[in-house]
Amino acid sequence: MSFYARLAVPLLFALPTFAAPTLPPDLGPLTLFDELKALPSEWTKASGNASESKLNVKIGLKQSNIQGLEQRLLEVATPGNADYGNWLSKEEIDSYVAPSAVNVALVKTWLALYGITDVTSPTSDWLAFSAPVSTMEALLGTQYDFYTHPSRKGAIPRTTQYSVPLLLHDVIDLVTPTTAFYRNLAPQKSVAAPESKRRTKRQSCTGTTITPKCLYQLYNVTYTSKGSQTVATTELIEVGAVHSDYASFAKQFSISSTLADFTDVSVSGGSNPGTSADEGTLEGNLDTQYMGAIARTFVKNQFLALGPSGESDQDFEDELANLASYLTSTSSPPSVVSTSYGGEEQAFSSSYMTRVCNEFMKAGSAGISVFFSSGDGGVGGNGEPSCNNGFYPVWPAVCPYSTAVGGTMFSSGKEVVANAQTSSGTFTPGGGFSNTFSTPSYQSSQVSKYITYLNGKYNGLYNAKGRGFPDISLASVNYQIVDGGSVEGVLGTSASSPTWAALVSLLNDYRHSQGKATLGFLNPLLYSATTGLNDITSGSNSGCNSKGFSATTGWDPASGLGSINFGKFLSNV
Ligand SMILES: *[C@@H]1O[C@H](CO)[C@@H](O)[C@H](O)[C@H]1NC(C)=O
Ligand SMILES: *[C@@H]1O[C@H](CO)[C@@H](O)[C@H](O)[C@H]1NC(C)=O
């Protein structure tokens, strides 16, 4: 195969003078397909020969009619439309996304040329296989290296650009893992001391210490779950959730006397590492505990342990893709799912983000509400020191088919944009405008109002035509959880996202009792709601030595549309 070996020059365009290799049967020359312009900040090359590693590879095949699905989704997700809530069956979704048999065969032929024949199809529009890095280097005309980041253990094999045969450019959306770099947004422990159970009980809820009971008070949750829904949070990058911590939390903090345990669900070979988690259990415990406690008792509370898992394989980007394909392939998906992981948009290529966002579009079309936290470093992404080259939007919150959740706090009884000290800096919620996704129609009037309000401020640092995020917010500071057997106060949009998702599961439960479908893709409903949202108008999401975006009347990138008044919001559904 030396004929197809990596070309020693950058392949900006396939120059005819290079005698670029032509692959039988006429797949055309290997031609640059995807390129990361710069290494994401603080990532560096690590030592070692990446060629000797093995990779779990996925190829996203171009979906036949994704625009058709997008249009159909807007119809079924827009309140007032005759088809509102008529979510699509798996077969209907497949009719929009399944690639042609000819295209699938073409890609398999290409892979077979490199000896890759053991190929599976998790859904019709993905191919999966495992291969040594050296094979992938030949296949993609690239070189993988090990890269590492100060915030993570170990190094991962990645590349900054890759090629595929010209004829397959219209057949393939992406090959992964390749150019996606990821750094986790972890929840932080609050600086404020955790409250004891007795003190919390005696105090009236002012919002300075958050418990499930207090959230019900703050957000006027007047409804009691009938237990019809399945809800889910997610395990990624080997962060566990602990059953005994959950039981202890339930005993001390749950609203009803009993809280059924959460269920571990393995997706793509993942497993809940529990107490042996490399990356701790703070996030997993927070997510499972608040999802369960807010959704209430007999509700099925799933912890989706996402694979692939393995030592050099903390592959956030693959796990996200696996989450989406699980949601659209399983026979009994949760009606809401919340994920408190993300990374700076600059760290992912646009082809990767576009394709995985399309997967969340598929989940929304199936009637599933998909929530992501908006980040904890304000306009500075994961805590960048400087925004001279622009603000740092957070992926996947920027995906227009996710519902992005920001964070608030209570100051003298008033709900404002969160701004709190952590052991490692300041927490303010991520928010801004995507550089990849343009403003979707459901939010265009609110976003353009805010751009007008900015009146030129920050010009050049953000994309005025981008998808604005977050969509909504909720309390995010000093949540009481049980971690490692003891009560801890934690903060971050990692807290507000599962809580919002759990509240939506209560709305779904109510709708179920009325014989109605789930709320599914939520954003068109949120942006058209005329009651039930508490507008947040104070504070800003500072970051990287900038004040960030200020909250104001209506939607803003510091707080989205605001938090919820559940009792009033019920009248929208
Ligand atoms: C890396 O490993 C591959 C496969 O074992 C080998 O062919 C290659 O020469 C090695 N590269 C270096 C720089 O050692
Ligand atoms: C709480 O919701 C109920 C409807 O269930 C509404 O009548 C009431 O005004 C709401 N309370 C507040 C304080 O907004």
Side-chain angles (χ1 to χ4, degrees):
M1 283 293 167
S2 60
F3 181 61
Y4 304 115
R6 185 169 59 89
L7 299 182
V9 293
L11 266 173
L12 288 178
F13 294 100
L15 301 176
T17 47
F18 269 128
T22 298
L23 298 162
D26 275 343
L27 294 175
L30 265 182
T31 307
L32 184 67
F33 187 68
D34 186 34
E35 183 180 33
L36 208 54
K37 297 278 179 283
L39 212 54
S41 68
E42 296 186 80
W43 281 91
T44 48
K45 259 186 205 178
S47 60
N49 187 345
S51 304
E52 290 163 0
S53 318
K54 262 208 140 185
L55 290 175
N56 291 316
V57 180
K58 288 183 83 178
I59 295 182
L61 301 170
K62 208 166 267 314
Q63 296 154 320
S64 52
N65 184 12
I66 200 71
Q67 289 81 7
L69 179 62
E70 188 162 25
Q71 204 168 350
R72 182 67 189 140
L73 174 55
L74 277 183
E75 289 165 8
V76 298
T78 301
N81 188 292
D83 278 344
Y84 180 64
N86 285 341
W87 305 115
L88 280 63
S89 67
K90 265 187 265 182
E91 292 70 25
E92 283 172 286
I93 294 171
D94 214 43
S95 74
Y96 288 103
V97 300
S100 71
V102 170
N103 285 353
V104 177
L106 219 47
V107 174
K108 285 189 170 169
T109 303
W110 172 50
L111 296 175
L113 290 172
Y114 294 84
I116 303 165
T117 51
D118 192 3
V119 180
T120 61
S121 271
T123 54
S124 62
D125 46 3
W126 287 95
L127 297 177
F129 57 90
S130 78
V133 166
S134 53
T135 302
M136 293 307 293
E137 291 180 325
L139 183 77
L140 302 175
T142 188
Q143 180 184 324
Y144 280 76
D145 287 295
F146 281 123
Y147 292 91
T148 188
H149 187 279
S151 74
R152 67 182 296 160
K153 288 180 205 150
I156 52 170
R158 288 292 182 277
T159 175
T160 53
Q161 55 90 353
Y162 66 98
S163 300
V164 303
L166 194 55
L167 204 72
L168 298 182
H169 280 217
D170 290 334
V171 173
I172 284 175
D173 270 339
L174 86 165
V175 182
T176 179
T178 49
T179 56
F181 291 77
Y182 167 70
R183 179 183 151 204
N184 185 28
L185 310 164
Q188 304 260 3
K189 292 188 185 181
S190 290
V191 173
E195 301 279 337
S196 76
K197 180 189 170 192
R198 278 185 58 204
R199 253 191 90 200
T200 308
K201 268 205 168 153
R202 240 188 263 141
Q203 273 181 339
S204 67
C205 173
T206 60
T208 52
T209 300
I210 300 294
T211 61
K213 219 170 250 176
C214 183
L215 286 165
Y216 266 49
Q217 263 183 51
L218 288 169
Y219 296 113
N220 192 27
V221 181
T222 48
Y223 177 77
T224 305
S225 169
K226 296 176 177 61
S228 65
Q229 302 297 300
T230 299
V231 298
T233 52
T234 53
E235 178 272 347
L236 288 94
I237 62 165
E238 312 292 307
V239 176
V242 183
H243 289 274
S244 58
D245 284 341
Y246 191 86
S248 165
F249 173 84
K251 215 158 141 198
Q252 297 182 64
F253 293 110
S254 73
I255 295 161
S256 31
S257 54
T258 54
L259 194 63
D261 196 9
F262 69 87
T263 318
D264 291 302
V265 177
S266 172
V267 176
S268 304
S271 61
N272 173 11
T275 48
S276 62
D278 278 357
E279 307 283 337
T281 50
L282 210 59
E283 179 73 71
N285 279 335
L286 167 65
D287 295 352
T288 49
Q289 289 169 18
Y290 276 80
M291 181 61 97
I294 299 300
R296 297 285 293 270
T297 56
F298 26 68
V299 163
K300 237 182 160 177
N301 182 14
Q302 299 181 333
F303 188 51
L304 305 179
L306 297 160
S309 48
E311 278 163 56
S312 68
D313 225 349
Q314 296 186 349
D315 289 338
F316 171 72
E317 54 273 23
D318 283 355
E319 292 169 346
L320 263 191
N322 288 340
L323 168 64
S325 60
Y326 168 77
L327 292 174
T328 51
S329 62
T330 182
S331 55
S332 52
S335 68
V336 302
V337 60
S338 171
T339 298
S340 294
Y341 299 86
E344 292 168 358
E345 194 181 28
Q346 282 87 339
F348 301 89
S349 72
S350 67
S351 59
Y352 167 79
M353 290 185 283
T354 302
R355 175 51 192 260
V356 175
C357 184
N358 285 347
E359 298 299 306
F360 295 123
M361 185 202 301
K362 283 161 63 181
S365 310
I368 302 163
S369 303
V370 179
F371 295 83
F372 283 96
S373 52
S374 77
D376 296 347
V379 291
N382 275 332
E384 295 294 334
S386 140
C387 285
N388 290 342
N389 296 323
F391 295 143
Y392 288 84
V394 171
W395 157 260
V398 292
C399 166
Y401 294 100
S402 86
T403 297
V405 186
T408 65
M409 66 178 189
F410 287 82
S411 171
S412 310
K414 188 179 176 193
E415 192 172 16
V416 301
V417 178
N419 185 320
Q421 289 313 302
T422 71
S423 44
S424 63
T426 304
F427 156 56
T428 66
F433 303 86
S434 172
N435 293 314
T436 306
F437 299 98
S438 48
T439 317
S441 58
Y442 61 73
Q443 65 167 197
S444 57
S445 73
Q446 282 100 329
V447 166
S448 75
K449 250 184 226 154
Y450 191 81
I451 303 287
T452 306
Y453 163 85
L454 278 175
N455 193 23
K457 193 175 183 184
Y458 298 141
N459 270 2
L461 295 179
Y462 74 96
N463 174 18
K465 294 190 162 63
R467 184 284 205 252
F469 79 104
D471 298 298
I472 45 179
S473 289
L474 209 72
S476 59
V477 174
N478 208 12
Y479 274 55
Q480 306 296 290
I481 69 164
V482 175
D483 187 58
S486 54
V487 176
E488 300 272 7
V490 298
L491 51 75
T493 54
S494 283
S496 46
S497 182
T499 306
W500 239 109
L503 291 173
V504 170
S505 86
L506 292 179
L507 296 171
N508 283 339
D509 186 80
Y510 168 75
R511 278 176 63 88
H512 184 263
S513 73
Q514 307 291 304
K516 294 178 181 171
T518 58
L519 290 171
F521 175 49
L522 204 59
N523 297 1
L525 168 67
L526 292 170
Y527 284 86
S528 64
T530 51
T531 182
L533 293 171
N534 306 320
D535 196 4
I536 311 297
T537 57
S538 296
S540 76
N541 63 348
S542 59
C544 55
N545 280 319
S546 152
K547 183 170 176 252
F549 295 108
S550 293
T552 183
T553 308
W555 181 87
D556 55 69
S559 67
L561 296 162
S563 66
I564 190 171
N565 181 324
F566 187 94
K568 291 187 174 170
F569 199 90
L570 264 183
S571 67
N572 295 324
V573 307

